[in-house]
Amino acid sequence: LNPDEVRLPEEAAWELYQPFVMRRLSQTGHKPLDGLKLIEERADAAKKALEAEMKERPVMVNRAPALHKYNMLTMKPMLDKSNTLKMNSFVLKNYNGDFDGDQMTIHVPVGRKAVQESWKFLPSKVLFSPATHDFTIQPREDALLGLNFLTSEKHTPEPQSFKTSKDAS
């Protein structure tokens, strides 16, 4: 994932985008009850409408407590089969996030003006914190260890295979 993307659980995406999918289906000639049935069945027409809405309408991710507007960032949603929200670890500093079960809320901007304004809050467009002037996107320990490994003199670029886990360590 790049820093501007988030993977949403598919069921959550259906729930969040249902009104927009319904509207899109009705604009293509489906009756409201038929549209609801298509959504419940996860039909191809409904899935195409969901994907189209997700391209046009981002999500805003927030982790409480939000002390300033930069604790709420816009992300480009992508569907995921799991039940967890997935995002690039580089943007977690902005949320003061870690991996101990933090909960994040997801919002979908409704109006056209809100959607246009929300695109301004992609992590790639909010690079500096207004409070500290530090970078908001920063590599964390796992990425730094990987970069250190890849740039070390001992690193060999050829793929290696091991017969046992003891050989790999």
Side-chain angles (χ1 to χ4, degrees):
L1 289 173
N2 74 39
D4 290 342
E5 295 173 336
V6 64
R7 288 197 174 272
L8 291 178
E10 191 169 345
E11 288 304 312
W14 281 107
E15 187 71 27
L16 285 167
Y17 283 93
Q18 182 178 353
F20 309 109
V21 172
M22 284 285 294
R23 183 186 63 195
R24 188 172 288 261
L25 289 172
S26 67
Q27 289 172 345
T28 58
H30 295 280
K31 295 178 183 172
L33 290 177
D34 293 341
L36 189 58
K37 189 175 180 182
L38 290 172
I39 291 172
E40 288 172 0
E41 294 171 356
R42 307 296 192 246
D44 287 339
K47 184 132 182 159
K48 286 179 185 175
L50 174 65
E51 290 170 355
E53 285 296 328
M54 289 174 66
K55 284 182 183 174
E56 291 178 12
R57 194 176 296 273
V59 294
M60 298 192 80
V61 182
N62 176 31
R63 179 179 176 264
L67 302 177
H68 50 76
K69 67 182 179 180
Y70 295 103
N71 276 108
M72 184 175 222
L73 291 177
T74 299
M75 304 268 185
K76 297 174 187 175
M78 300 169 63
L79 293 177
D80 192 40
K81 296 287 184 191
S82 73
N83 289 327
T84 58
L85 183 75
K86 296 177 182 170
M87 62 176 47
N88 189 309
S89 64
F90 289 12
V91 298
L92 287 176
K93 180 185 185 301
N94 219 34
Y95 293 111
N96 195 22
D98 46 32
F99 298 99
D100 63 357
D102 294 337
Q103 292 184 349
M104 295 196 176
T105 54
I106 305 165
H107 309 277
V108 180
V110 177
R112 189 174 353 115
K113 194 172 184 179
V115 171
Q116 289 173 347
E117 186 176 352
S118 67
W119 286 114
K120 297 176 186 174
F121 291 96
L122 287 168
S124 62
K125 294 186 179 179
V126 184
L127 294 177
F128 299 101
S129 166
T132 62
H133 304 291
D134 290 336
F135 283 105
T136 57
I137 297 177
Q138 292 184 356
R140 295 179 58 119
E141 293 83 7
D142 52 346
L144 292 173
L145 284 172
L147 289 171
N148 182 43
F149 174 74
L150 289 172
T151 57
S152 69
E153 292 180 22
K154 296 177 185 177
H155 176 69
T156 56
E158 301 90 32
Q160 298 179 11
S161 60
F162 304 99
K163 293 183 180 180
T164 66
S165 58
K166 188 176 181 181
D167 292 342
S169 59

